[in-house]
Amino acid sequence: SQTIHQWPATLVQPVGSPLSLECTVEGTSNPNLYWYRQAAGRGLQLLFYSVGIGQISSEVPQNLSASRPQDRQFILSSKKLLLSDSGFYLCAWRGNLYGYTFGSGTRLTVV
Amino acid sequence: DQQVKQNSPSLSVQEGRISILNCDYTNSMFDYFLWYKKYPAEGPTFLISISSIKDKNEDGRFTVFLNKSAKHLSLHIVPSQPGDSAVYFCAARTDNAGNMLTFGGGTRLMVKP
């Protein structure tokens, strides 16, 4: 069966520090992968999606970047975090008609 | 430009009664609609979906209705239970290379015992 792993679950980082969030998928090959963010009291905003290794599409201009070094690995990064980067980050994998399967999320607090 | 909107940020319902969550969209190219349920500090989980060629889909206590002419869909939960208390997201899919889902802002449902 397919599973999606996302870590860490929580993270507190100072402003200006780097960020690396990792997401891996098991049980499938060449998945479409997505990074979403839920800011406090807001909906789910699509940040990046990837249809294959090295293929990244960005949906909104921001302080973040994404990379897909392996077929089932998707990484969200920042060189210097801003306070506004705080939020709940979700990785997702596209399955069948039932849309996405989400990871358990990472709560990022930038202080 | 929000293509999927959930205009009610919160809804409070008594246990046993019906909960109706609404969602409006603007993009006529959406071909599939989904509802997700999200508990705090967890990822959203799939609840129910409907194809754009249908107007109703039912799964147990959950029914989704689609009105294409009005570009409106709704999720009915009956009877509502305290465990249904969560944030519900409406999502719409575009059948393109990325197969992206566009999410609404969510509605927080509180079911009171």
Side-chain angles (χ1 to χ4, degrees), chain A residues 53-103:
Chain A
I53 295 174
Q55 300 179 62
I56 307 295
S57 295
S58 174
E59 286 298 296
V60 293
Q62 58 204 305
N63 183 42
L64 302 167
S65 62
S67 62
R68 188 163 174 181
Q70 300 179 44
D71 181 44
R72 287 172 282 179
Q73 184 184 32
F74 202 22
I75 298 173
L76 184 69
S77 304
S78 173
K79 291 182 179 178
K80 287 185 178 182
L81 283 169
L82 305 172
L83 285 173
S84 58
D85 292 324
S86 294
F88 191 61
Y89 288 82
L90 289 157
C91 178
W93 157 71
R94 184 180 76 84
N96 53 20
L97 280 178
Y98 296 103
Y100 300 173
T101 297
F102 284 88

Side-chain angles (χ1 to χ4, degrees), chain B residues 69-87:
Chain B
S69 60
K71 292 190 174 68
H72 176 84
L73 65 156
S74 60
L75 174 68
H76 292 211
I77 306 173
V78 56
S80 301
Q81 299 173 354
D84 296 329
S85 298
V87 176

Side-chain angles (χ1 to χ4, degrees), chain B residues 73-110:
Chain B
L73 65 156
S74 60
L75 174 68
H76 292 211
I77 306 173
V78 56
S80 301
Q81 299 173 354
D84 296 329
S85 298
V87 176
Y88 289 79
F89 288 100
C90 167
R93 190 190 76 169
T94 310
D95 188 19
N96 58 17
N99 283 126
M100 290 176 289
L101 289 183
T102 302
F103 286 84
T107 297
R108 181 177 300 279
L109 173 65
M110 292 163 284

Side-chain angles (χ1 to χ4, degrees), chain A residues 34 36 38 94 97-98 100, chain B residues 32 36 38 46 98 100-101:
Chain A
Y34 309 84
Y36 279 84
Q38 183 186 20
R94 184 180 76 84
L97 280 178
Y98 296 103
Y100 300 173
Chain B
Y32 207 77
Y36 283 82
K38 184 182 181 300
F46 169 76
M100 290 176 289
L101 289 183

